Amino acid sequence: MTVDADKRFPAAGRITWRDIGASETGVAVVVLAIFALLPMVVSGYPIYILPQYMLFGMMAMSLGLMWGFVGILSFGQAGFFALGAYTMGLAMHTNWGINPAYVGLLLSLVVGGTLAAVVGYFLFSAGVRATYFVLVTLALSIMVEQVAVSQSEITGGWNGMFIDRMSLTFGPLGDVPLFDDAPAYYAVLPVVALSYVLLRWLVSARFGKILAGIRENEDRMTALGYNISVHKTRAFALSGAIACFAGALYGTHANFVAPSLGGVLFSTEVVVWVAIGGRHSLLGALLGGILVASLSNYLSTVTPEYWQLVLGLIFIAVIVFFKGGVAGAVAQLPRLWRTGRQP
Amino acid sequence: METAVSVVVDATLITLILALAAFGLAIIYGLVGVINMGHGAFLTLGAYLTWAATTAGVPFVPAVLLAALGVGLVGLALEHLIIRHFYDRPFDTLLLTWAFFLVMTEIIKIVFGTDFRNVASPLAGAIDLGTVKIPIYRATIALVSLALIGGTAFVFYRTTLGIKIRALIQNREVASLLGLDIALMYKLVFGVGACAAGLAGGLISPMLSVDPYIGNVFLVRSFFVVIVGGVGQLLGGTLIGSFFIGGSETLFALFSKQVFAQTVVFLLAIIVLRFRPAGLLRAR
Amino acid sequence: MSSGTKKRTTVVSRRSALKGMAAGTGVVAASMAAPAFIRHLNAAEPIRVGIISPLTGAWTVYGKAHIAGFELAVDEINAAGGVLGRNIELVVGDSKTEPRIVVEQANRLIRQERVDFLAGTFSSAERNAAGPVVKAANKVLLYPTFYEGQEKEYYPGVCNKNIFMFGPEPTQQVWPHMEYMLNKFGKKLFMIGSDYAWPRVTNLVTKRKLDELGGQVVGEVYIPFGTPQYESVLRDIRGSGANIIFHSLTGSDTVNFRQQFAAAGMKDDFTFWTVDDEEVVTTGLGPDVSSGGYVSFDYFMSIKHPNNGPFLERFKKKFGQDALMNTVGVAMYNAAHMAAKAIEKAGEVSTDSLRDALGEITFDGAPQGPVQMRSRDHQIVVPSYLMKVRENWTSVNDMFEEVQSFEAVEPLDARCDLPL
């Protein structure tokens, strides 16, 4: 190659999740603590809206898992998210003797995981390239949107579907309705935190090492006897299940779902969040989702026309100059500090 | 019989128009290997530039040519500023071209506004074949599409320049040893691809509402055209892919609701992609 | 839900009261029929209205008239001294044409901006997204768009006592003109619409009247959003033997379809009747494609009603000579004026009093002619116009010519548990 991108853009490309993993835990504890204490300081709208953005962040983590740790990008993550919301909406009408919301949450894991597993295995087993996978997932999110629009008897079609707020039921111990802001907040936060911890644990466990190995060198892993397509499928199924679960919670929190929730525009917005937050860091993805969504909300009232443009330019800058996103840049700071002090 | 004839005519028109829309992508993806997610923005820009030129009083044909030129220049700028540094990283070019799409769409909204614009059809009326009526403009576009794809394919496969370009692109090491300017060839091909997309956007503009999302409609379809037809198969691949994606949608729509037709065609495209990742035209 | 709703309401009013005291006013004070001197203190505090408009996203093109209608009315109200001596202040939220964003913005406007009531949302999906929010927060929403009518099944998006409809539904927009169209052009209809609730229900309602009149549907298709090519549909239409194309495609699809319909030379062979293509879309179509078609709505810029001329003059003075107005913008305009009248009548700004007072408000100054809100189902009584698109029109001013019109068309009762 005549032009070496790494030489031209020295910051690009040289960050991996290893740099980030070490310093991330501390930051994560602080961030989660702040989120846990926030409702004591703030009330009203921020406490209402943050759970929705945390669930966006959870979806972003599900993408971060695929993109940063398996090296496969999905342009259809919002498809799973919307699927979860619809599953929740339909499950809310069940009457099986248990809390219908629990049915919805459980079903969303099953539905999202199964769909992702089927699509994933179908494609990975043929060794479909990562770039084609992007296109297939893009088409997938278009299809989710189209099916949601056309199956109006089930989904309410383009006009959308109402979903009641769920209640937590503890059998004989009683119920906790989640209608108010703070209870809803404290119901969503642990879920998001737990999914973060679970994913962190998974990527640092043997499973994560195998995924990293696949990302770095598929042939070598095959030679070592690993079934690559099965591992990729597992990761994608997990990713789909998490996005779908987050979507189910989102649906019951927002009380409403419409087909465009699964559409291409939202799906690719998730990609932008993760790129900016940091594709090699789960915390980066989570915070990328929360912060960019919050900023979009705030700035769209200030400057609706230019905000999307600025976001697009930031996206370009991240890919060209800071491949690791904000998390990557932050993770580099201590290293720069150290190298600066060691002459 | 009547329906049979008109179905064939319709399928042919759809195939050729989709082929026209996908052709710029086929060039860029097929020859320089960039997954150009900005293709939709090229189409949209072509349509808007055509609208702007015709509104300023330029006749339709020169307006379309100007638009194609303009989009070609934008494509060259994109290539020069960003894409050329990332040719060895297809994944990043995919993201960058998507970012280009996002930025370009916003710029179009800011510059041209978001109202529906319309470009008056330069050729009104229809050819009456007794049982079937073919809109003259669509028929013309279909022929232009055929000529353009055929002509370009001819240049790439039969002329010395084209064969040279393809050789350079297919064997970069040898070419660079020979001291040939690969960077320039890449740039040229990228520009030609952008230009073709701009031309398509301009030619399609009288048939569709010109709005900032006009290109979106064709983005995923165009990709499936290229992948199903076979990456790098400019002539046959584009036509077969277009028939598969567009023409068959017409046929399915005969028996089912439109929305099913679309979904079924997408599913089939995914299945083709799974079993023939190199496209229908190329044996594995 | 009720316990949560109740709790939240009290929380809000308590907070408002605290904030209000600091600012020298109070919702609680006002709702306790405050003594005159306190009310006098309130004079400076504006009434805050939250507007949700599609300012960006796919339907930006409709967003301008939408918000402009309300802004114009608010200017007029404030210039005339406001309501109860208070000015009206607008707080705008951009829906980005996404129901998901409507949920965010409706909550922001109510909780953060503490607006007194909401107006806007554009599509039925957007309104439905706002439905649960205004239900839970107990705020009134004024909804401006022509739509499919209210059906109990879709509560709380419709049949919601907090939502008022200022746009026409099919029994007002379509039924009054069917006899004329069928007698003049023939009784066979081909229905084409976008694939969602509004076109489907509109066609369903139309068919009921069609049966009465002895008409017949010879074809019915629904097109998914974002369809660029219409060959097969045009073929079906050609072979159907229809007299009238009854058209309810929306967004860019209507432009795509009609351009191809005209290009196929089919304009002369069929009568075209659209219930979607108002000023904005028709401008996008251009004269070649649109001329000769029939359109029905409650308002057009070209109507000759004495209220309309002065209204357009004020509108153009504020927004420019080329600005477009349409049925939705006028509904927003009417909504603002009628809400102001209702507040004036109630003597206070609270959800309950606004809801009660809005019930039977009439507005004689409406640009399309007098309109009246019905208290039993919150559906507005509006005029209905059938227009024909002129040949070679040059702008919205000469775009349509009136074919027939009806004053004060009553819709059928909403299919809800009435009264709301």
Side-chain angles (χ1 to χ4, degrees):
Chain A
M1 194 63 207
T2 47
V3 187
D4 185 355
D6 286 342
K7 268 179 214 144
R8 195 159 286 236
F9 302 111
R14 283 283 161 256
I15 311 147
T16 65
W17 60 278
R18 283 189 200 85
D19 298 321
I20 295 166
S23 52
E24 188 176 308
T25 309
V27 182
V29 170
V30 173
V31 166
L32 289 175
I34 291 175
F35 275 125
L37 296 175
L38 203 62
M40 320 215 163
V41 197
V42 186
S43 67
Y45 184 62
I47 301 306
Y48 164 79
I49 201 71
L50 267 174
Q52 291 184 11
Y53 291 167
M54 288 184 210
L55 293 167
F56 290 172
M58 190 165 153
M59 164 168 52
M61 281 197 291
S62 77
L63 178 68
L65 172 74
M66 288 308 288
W67 191 4
F69 296 85
V70 196
I72 290 168
L73 179 56
S74 158
F75 260 35
Q77 220 59 10
F80 292 106
F81 195 74
L83 195 63
Y86 277 112
T87 307
M88 189 60 152
L90 293 174
M92 278 299 205
H93 298 293
T94 59
N95 193 3
W96 297 346
I98 35 168
N99 186 340
Y102 292 173
V103 175
L105 290 175
L106 203 66
L107 271 180
S108 70
L109 280 175
V110 175
V111 169
T114 311
L115 177 69
V118 169
V119 173
Y121 191 75
F122 182 71
L123 295 170
F124 295 137
S125 62
V128 163
R129 275 187 270 163
T131 42
Y132 281 10
F133 193 74
V134 169
L135 297 174
V136 171
T137 46
L138 191 68
L140 202 65
S141 73
I142 293 178
M143 285 193 282
V144 167
E145 192 175 356
Q146 279 187 348
V147 169
V149 169
S150 64
Q151 298 304 304
S152 47
E153 285 83 19
I154 306 167
T155 60
W158 189 80
N159 276 11
M161 179 197 266
F162 303 106
I163 308 170
D164 283 335
R165 268 290 169 88
M166 65 178 288
S167 295
L168 294 173
T169 50
F170 301 99
L173 293 175
D175 300 352
V176 178
L178 298 182
F179 297 129
D180 285 336
D181 294 346
Y185 185 97
Y186 282 119
V188 168
L189 179 62
V191 172
V192 176
L194 266 178
S195 63
Y196 169 72
V197 171
L198 173 85
L199 284 174
R200 273 298 300 279
W201 172 73
L202 268 177
V203 296
S204 59
R206 188 167 163 272
F207 181 58
K209 303 222 161 63
I210 297 171
L211 293 184
I214 291 173
R215 189 192 58 207
E216 299 303 332
N217 190 339
E218 284 197 14
D219 295 340
R220 188 170 146 269
M221 295 304 278
T222 313
L224 288 173
Y226 289 102
N227 188 334
I228 289 175
S229 53
V230 167
H231 280 99
K232 282 182 178 172
T233 304
R234 276 186 195 154
F236 191 54
L238 179 66
S239 167
I242 289 175
C244 204
F245 189 82
L249 277 174
Y250 171 84
T252 177
H253 193 277
N255 298 145
F256 188 75
V257 54
S260 62
L261 188 71
V264 173
L265 285 179
F266 193 43
S267 277
T268 53
E269 222 178 304
V270 183
V271 176
V272 177
W273 298 340
V274 176
I276 292 178
R279 67 183 88 161
H280 297 294
S281 155
L282 289 167
L283 186 67
L286 174 64
L287 291 181
I290 296 175
L291 294 179
V292 178
S294 306
L295 260 180
S296 294
N297 184 342
Y298 175 67
L299 288 175
S300 73
T301 58
V302 182
T303 158
E305 293 90 356
Y306 293 97
W307 161 240
Q308 288 298 326
L309 179 64
V310 172
L311 195 63
L313 292 173
I314 294 176
F315 185 40
I316 292 182
V318 163
I319 302 164
V320 175
F321 298 110
F322 312 99
K323 224 178 157 188
V326 174
V330 171
Q332 271 193 328
L333 286 180
R335 206 169 55 178
L336 291 177
W337 176 247
R338 277 198 302 276
T339 45
R341 289 209 304 180
Q342 289 162 359
Chain B
M1 193 56 212
E2 255 177 53
T3 7
V5 172
S6 61
V7 166
V8 169
V9 170
D10 292 350
T12 312
L13 287 181
I14 289 195
T15 300
L16 288 174
I17 290 168
L18 187 57
L20 178 69
F23 190 53
L25 186 75
I27 292 176
I28 291 181
Y29 189 14
L31 296 180
V32 296
V34 170
I35 315 249
N36 180 22
M37 301 291 280
H39 182 66
F42 283 158
L43 290 171
T44 311
L45 189 63
Y48 266 101
L49 291 178
T50 304
W51 170 79
T54 49
T55 312
V58 182
F60 182 75
V61 173
V64 170
L65 294 177
L66 273 177
L69 195 67
V71 175
L73 288 176
V74 170
L76 281 180
L78 173 70
E79 199 272 352
H80 187 77
L81 290 176
I82 297 178
I83 301 299
R84 69 184 169 120
H85 306 298
F86 292 87
Y87 277 130
D88 56 342
R89 296 200 229 142
F91 212 76
D92 282 340
T93 55
L94 182 155
L95 288 173
L96 284 165
T97 48
W98 180 256
F100 167 77
F101 164 79
L102 294 176
V103 168
M104 199 64 226
T105 306
E106 293 306 316
I107 291 177
I108 285 172
K109 282 195 227 169
I110 291 167
V111 174
F112 295 104
T114 47
D115 293 339
F116 291 126
R117 309 293 189 186
N118 77 84
V119 177
S121 180
L123 294 168
I127 308 165
D128 202 336
L129 297 181
T131 54
V132 193
K133 274 187 178 177
I134 308 173
I136 296 176
Y137 185 72
R138 297 190 78 107
T140 314
I141 295 306
L143 290 178
V144 169
S145 162
L146 206 56
L148 180 75
I149 295 170
T152 314
F154 180 81
V155 169
F156 275 114
Y157 291 94
R158 291 282 179 270
T159 66
T160 341
L161 174 73
I163 292 168
K164 225 176 186 175
I165 289 176
R166 284 195 310 134
L168 288 176
I169 284 163
Q170 277 164 7
N171 200 336
R172 298 196 303 215
E173 285 76 14
V174 173
S176 66
L177 283 177
L178 293 172
L180 292 172
D181 196 342
I182 300 172
L184 185 70
M185 290 301 169
Y186 269 52
K187 190 161 289 175
L188 188 69
V189 173
F190 198 96
V192 167
C195 205
L199 187 71
L203 289 174
I204 289 168
S205 64
M207 292 186 268
L208 296 179
S209 82
V210 179
D211 65 56
Y213 303 92
I214 186 173
N216 292 22
V217 169
F218 289 102
L219 179 66
V220 174
R221 282 185 177 85
S222 298
F223 267 113
F224 279 146
V225 165
V226 175
I227 294 172
V228 168
V231 176
Q233 307 282 313
L234 282 190
L235 180 62
T238 311
L239 291 179
I240 286 193
S242 302
F243 175 72
F244 188 90
I245 300 297
S248 66
E249 204 173 299
T250 323
L251 300 182
F252 280 119
L254 277 182
F255 312 108
S256 67
K257 293 205 298 181
Q258 284 252 341
V259 66
F260 281 120
Q262 281 182 15
T263 311
V264 166
V265 167
F266 276 17
L267 271 179
L268 281 178
I270 292 174
I271 291 168
V272 168
L273 196 148
R274 157 73 169 72
F275 291 103
R276 299 287 293 264
L280 285 174
L281 268 197
R282 203 181 278 176
R284 287 189 75 181
Chain C
M1 201 84 194
S2 65
S3 72
T5 312
K6 215 181 282 165
K7 206 185 291 171
R8 191 178 295 152
T9 319
T10 47
V11 170
V12 168
S13 52
R14 191 178 66 228
R15 259 187 231 127
S16 314
L18 289 173
K19 182 197 170 210
M21 270 184 231
T25 182
V27 172
V28 173
S31 62
M32 288 190 310
F37 70 94
I38 295 189
R39 220 185 270 172
H40 180 71
L41 278 176
N42 289 351
E45 183 90 344
I47 296 168
R48 288 164 72 79
V49 185
I51 306 285
I52 301 175
S53 270
L55 299 180
T56 58
W59 285 0
T60 318
V61 58
Y62 300 105
K64 284 184 204 157
H66 184 270
I67 193 167
F70 208 90
E71 283 177 344
L72 180 64
V74 166
D75 276 6
E76 290 170 17
I77 294 163
N78 289 344
V83 186
L84 303 176
R86 296 165 66 182
N87 272 349
I88 294 182
E89 183 180 272
L90 296 185
V91 190
V92 178
D94 175 12
S95 77
K96 299 186 188 172
T97 324
E98 284 286 344
R100 159 175 69 87
I101 305 292
V102 170
V103 174
E104 293 181 7
Q105 290 298 328
N107 273 291
R108 181 182 73 86
L109 293 170
I110 292 172
R111 288 153 185 263
Q112 181 126 313
E113 302 291 346
R114 302 197 181 286
V115 298
D116 294 292
F117 60 94
L118 293 174
T121 67
F122 179 74
S123 64
S124 291
E126 290 187 14
R127 181 202 61 234
N128 285 354
V133 183
V134 296
K135 178 191 160 209
N138 194 29
K139 290 284 176 190
V140 165
L141 168 68
L142 314 176
Y143 177 67
T145 313
F146 52 99
Y147 76 118
E148 63 274 14
Q150 307 184 56
E151 191 89 52
K152 199 173 147 189
E153 195 186 337
Y154 300 110
Y155 176 83
V158 290
C159 296
N160 182 333
K161 66 178 169 133
N162 283 340
I163 303 183
F164 288 81
M165 313 300 186
F166 289 83
E169 54 108 277
T171 60
Q172 298 168 290
Q173 193 187 351
V174 182
W175 279 17
H177 309 296
M178 287 182 69
E179 215 172 324
Y180 173 86
M181 293 298 284
L182 264 58
N183 287 340
K184 181 146 187 199
F185 299 109
K187 295 187 188 276
K188 290 183 189 162
L189 263 64
F190 191 104
M191 298 177 151
I192 174 168
S194 292
D195 193 358
Y196 73 107
W198 175 67
R200 283 178 182 275
V201 177
T202 300
N203 288 346
L204 202 70
V205 173
T206 304
K207 278 191 247 174
R208 276 172 52 195
K209 185 83 172 176
L210 198 63
D211 285 343
E212 271 176 40
L213 297 173
Q216 184 192 353
V217 175
V218 292
E220 187 175 356
V221 287
Y222 296 97
I223 307 292
F225 285 101
T227 300
Q229 313 217 25
Y230 291 87
E231 270 82 357
S232 59
V233 179
L234 293 176
R235 189 176 60 240
D236 290 348
I237 292 177
R238 213 179 274 122
S240 69
N243 309 114
I244 299 172
I245 315 298
F246 187 74
H247 167 270
S248 52
L249 287 169
T250 57
S252 55
D253 292 329
T254 175
V255 182
N256 297 347
F257 171 74
R258 292 191 66 175
Q259 281 185 339
Q260 291 170 33
F261 180 79
M266 292 167 69
K267 253 177 58 180
D268 301 331
D269 305 339
F270 300 91
T271 301
F272 199 90
W273 181 7
T274 171
V275 288
D276 177 85
D277 301 352
E278 30 64 277
E279 284 80 355
V280 174
V281 174
T282 309
T283 305
L285 289 168
D288 294 345
V289 173
S290 63
S291 67
Y294 287 80
V295 202
S296 55
F297 270 119
D298 61 323
Y299 173 81
F300 291 89
M301 285 178 88
S302 327
I303 59 171
K304 294 282 179 271
H305 194 278
N307 289 349
N308 190 33
F311 164 76
L312 285 177
E313 212 166 279
R314 295 192 298 273
F315 171 68
K316 288 182 174 173
K317 197 174 154 204
K318 183 169 166 69
F319 294 98
Q321 284 304 312
D322 299 329
L324 297 188
M325 193 22 77
N326 64 6
T327 165
V328 180
V330 160
M332 286 293 271
Y333 176 85
N334 295 343
H337 273 294
M338 290 167 84
K341 279 166 166 284
I343 292 167
E344 199 78 54
K345 182 174 149 197
E348 58 154 2
V349 191
S350 76
T351 298
D352 291 340
S353 65
L354 176 61
R355 194 197 300 125
D356 292 344
L358 205 45
E360 289 298 330
I361 292 287
T362 2
F363 180 39
D364 294 331
Q368 65 266 63
V371 298
Q372 184 185 14
M373 183 53 72
R374 291 202 310 204
S375 62
R376 67 173 179 280
D377 58 0
H378 295 185
Q379 179 64 43
I380 198 163
V381 179
V382 284
S384 187
Y385 292 85
L386 179 68
M387 311 292 270
K388 188 176 180 186
V389 182
R390 281 205 173 88
E391 303 290 329
N392 304 319
W393 56 266
T394 54
S395 76
V396 280
N397 303 312
D398 63 350
M399 187 181 272
F400 301 109
E401 67 180 312
E402 189 173 319
V403 178
Q404 64 169 2
S405 66
F406 298 92
E407 281 173 18
V409 178
E410 292 266 356
L412 288 192
D413 274 359
R415 300 168 290 278
C416 315
D417 293 329
L418 298 178
L420 287 175

